[in-house]
């Protein structure tokens, strides 16, 4: 496998590189990479053969999109460009969600920041439990007809929501979603239970993110090692605390996986990215380098081919379908999160 071996994105016919450059770390908000460094990362990724970039309006409140737009000046046609809507932009709570009203405003902001006349893939960043799904799908179909987006998709939708979106679109003679974006890694495998089966059934493209599980698979989370520093620790309290009892099994798994990688002459990053790329449902793996050096590490992983014996050993360490924490799924089902919904 190499970056030159492009993959078809589900049933779209569009070809993209097996690695997608993610931009969560771009900007000055909660992200560490400044504009100049981020532009260099984009250019280095394109020069190395990456043809797909994923961003979102919410990343550093629009800064990430603006940086991508700047970096793609003169190179827009080299890239399959995806961005997302849903998260709240600015202080106004009405500037969020999956309603027609917000989608029509959000897309204009993204187009302007990205300095482009069309978005290749426009994704609902999260489900919106306050908006009728048909309203969202109809609005996105209108944007396709207007030429402002070419395809649309979802992110971390539940299995039932994925099926519902396909059913609502087809029964109303509308274009259905063609891509789903999900977390997937050696330590986050719950989507193997049902989501991947559904994406295969409907021939949906899959963009998987978090191959290093927020840093758990970067190589620093080892038994007996000091607590690694994490810029994400404050965003998800406890998720990265190696002393927490609920993280004990995850830490032991990360240790075992690191040892497995060493036995096979691989870095843990190479093992992690190679694993995500290996799943037949995955169209492209989103990587999120913070520096050009991090990008080089990811690029090396694109050439890794894991033998069946290695994949079997991985399954013995982390059983298929396993998530160690509920929040590793990328979203929380409201009926589990909010007591008032469980106790009505």
């Amino acid at each position: 496998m190499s970056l030159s071996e492009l993959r078809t994105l589900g049933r779209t016919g569009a070809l993209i590189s097996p690695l997608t450059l993610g931009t969560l770390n771009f900007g000055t908000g909660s992200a560490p990479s400044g504009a100049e460094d981020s532009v260099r990362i984009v250019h280095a990724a394109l020069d190395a053969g990456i043809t797909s970039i994923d961003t979102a309006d919410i990343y550093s409140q629009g800064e990430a999109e603006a940086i991508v737009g700047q970096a793609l000046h003169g190179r827009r046609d080299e890239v399959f460009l995806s961005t997302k809507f849903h998260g709240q932009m600015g202080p106004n709570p009405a500037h969020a969600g999956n309603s027609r009203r917000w989608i029509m405003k959000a897309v204009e902001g993204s187009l302007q920041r990205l300095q482009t006349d069309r978005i290749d893939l426009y994704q609902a960043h999260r489900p919106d439990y306050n908006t009728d799904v048909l309203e969202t799908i109809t609005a996105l179909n209108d944007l396709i007809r207007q030429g402002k987006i070419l395809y649309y998709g979802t992110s971390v939708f539940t299995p039932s929501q994925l099926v519902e979106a396909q059913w609502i679109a087809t029964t109303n003679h509308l274009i259905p979603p063609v891509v789903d974006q999900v977390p997937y890694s050696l330590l986050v495998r719950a989507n193997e239970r049902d989501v991947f089966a559904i994406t295969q059934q409907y021939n949906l493209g899959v963009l998987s993110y978090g191959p290093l599980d927020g840093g758990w698979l970067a190589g620093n989370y080892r038994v007996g090692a000091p607590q690694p520093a994490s810029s994400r620790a404050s965003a998800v309290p406890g998720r990265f605390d190696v002393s927490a009892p609920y993280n004990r099994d995850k830490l032991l798994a990360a240790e075992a996986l690191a040892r497995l990688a060493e036995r096979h002459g691989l870095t843990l990053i190479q093992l992690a990215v190679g694993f995500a790329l290996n799943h037949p449902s995955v169209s492209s793996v989103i990587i999120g380098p913070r520096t050009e050096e991090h990008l080089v590490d990811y690029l090396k992983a694109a050439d890794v081919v894991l033998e069946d014996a290695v994949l079997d050993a991985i399954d013995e360490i982390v059983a298929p379908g396993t998530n160690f924490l509920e929040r590793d799924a990328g979203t929380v089902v409201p009926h589990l999160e909010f007591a008032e919904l469980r106790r009505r």
Side-chain angles (χ1 to χ4, degrees):
M1 181 188 307
S2 70
L3 288 177
S4 62
E5 298 176 13
L6 301 182
R7 298 178 169 192
T8 303
L9 184 62
R11 61 175 183 265
T12 68
L15 296 175
I16 63 172
S17 53
L19 294 183
T20 289
L21 179 64
T23 64
L24 177 64
N25 295 320
F26 288 7
T28 59
S30 59
S33 301
E36 292 184 4
D37 290 338
S38 299
V39 168
R40 283 195 291 268
I41 289 172
V42 172
H43 290 166
L46 298 183
D47 292 342
I50 288 179
T51 67
S52 175
I53 295 179
D54 177 80
T55 188
D57 57 7
I58 196 68
Y59 295 165
S60 294
Q61 286 289 296
E63 283 190 62
E65 286 186 327
I67 290 169
V68 170
Q70 176 186 347
L72 292 184
H73 183 71
R75 305 187 70 172
R76 173 65 182 90
D77 289 339
E78 299 177 33
V79 172
F80 185 91
L81 181 59
S82 60
T83 190
K84 299 182 284 292
F85 64 91
H86 174 84
Q88 182 173 325
M89 296 292 288
N92 189 340
H95 291 175
N98 300 353
S99 68
R100 167 181 284 273
R101 181 176 184 273
W102 175 240
I103 288 171
M104 293 304 178
K105 181 175 178 58
V107 72
E108 297 298 339
S110 290
L111 288 167
Q112 181 178 22
R113 288 186 292 268
L114 291 167
Q115 300 180 44
T116 186
D117 62 349
R118 87 281 183 192
I119 294 164
D120 296 314
L121 174 65
Y122 201 38
Q123 301 162 97
H125 208 158
R126 293 291 185 272
D128 182 350
Y129 294 91
N130 296 314
T131 301
D132 186 85
V133 177
L134 179 58
E135 175 174 333
T136 301
I137 288 176
T138 303
L140 293 167
N141 271 252
D142 288 345
L143 291 180
I144 290 176
R145 294 189 179 96
Q146 293 168 15
K148 294 180 179 179
I149 68 174
L150 303 187
Y151 308 102
Y152 76 95
T154 57
S155 177
V156 297
F157 274 40
T158 66
S160 62
Q161 289 168 338
L162 289 174
V163 175
E164 179 186 20
Q166 294 293 315
W167 183 84
I168 287 177
T170 54
T171 55
N172 286 279
H173 307 291
L174 298 169
I175 301 169
V178 294
V179 173
D180 191 38
Q181 187 171 136
V182 300
Y184 185 56
S185 75
L186 290 163
L187 297 174
V188 181
R189 302 184 60 176
N191 287 311
E192 295 172 337
R193 293 180 179 271
D194 40 34
V195 168
F196 285 163
I198 293 170
T199 60
Q200 289 178 351
Q201 178 182 352
Y202 290 102
N203 197 13
L204 300 178
V206 172
L207 299 177
S208 73
Y209 69 86
L212 304 188
D213 191 19
W216 275 94
L217 296 168
N220 296 324
Y221 284 80
R222 302 293 295 266
V223 173
Q227 172 71 51
S230 173
S231 61
R232 299 182 183 179
S234 59
V236 189
R239 181 182 172 191
F240 300 95
D241 184 359
V242 296
S243 66
Y246 50 78
N247 280 330
R248 178 180 177 276
D249 289 344
K250 193 172 188 177
L251 180 63
L252 292 174
E255 174 72 23
L257 290 166
R259 292 179 180 273
L260 175 66
E262 291 165 359
R263 289 198 300 272
H264 289 273
L266 301 170
T267 66
L268 184 53
I269 291 175
Q270 289 175 320
L271 183 72
V273 175
F275 170 80
L277 284 170
N278 181 81
H279 199 285
S281 292
V282 174
S283 307
S284 186
V285 174
I286 299 173
I287 57 172
R290 298 171 182 269
T291 65
E292 289 185 72
E293 290 74 19
H294 290 166
L295 175 63
V296 171
D297 290 337
Y298 279 118
L299 294 174
K300 292 177 181 177
D303 296 325
V304 171
V305 177
L306 301 181
E307 299 178 353
D308 287 344
V310 177
L311 295 172
D312 291 341
I314 290 171
D315 288 347
E316 291 179 5
I317 296 170
V318 182
T322 296
N323 269 17
F324 288 93
L325 297 176
E326 178 70 27
R327 293 203 71 93
D328 286 345
T331 188
V332 174
V333 178
H335 286 79
L336 299 179
E337 178 82 346
F338 303 111
E340 62 270 22
L341 296 181
R342 295 196 303 272
R343 297 170 184 166
R344 283 178 177 170

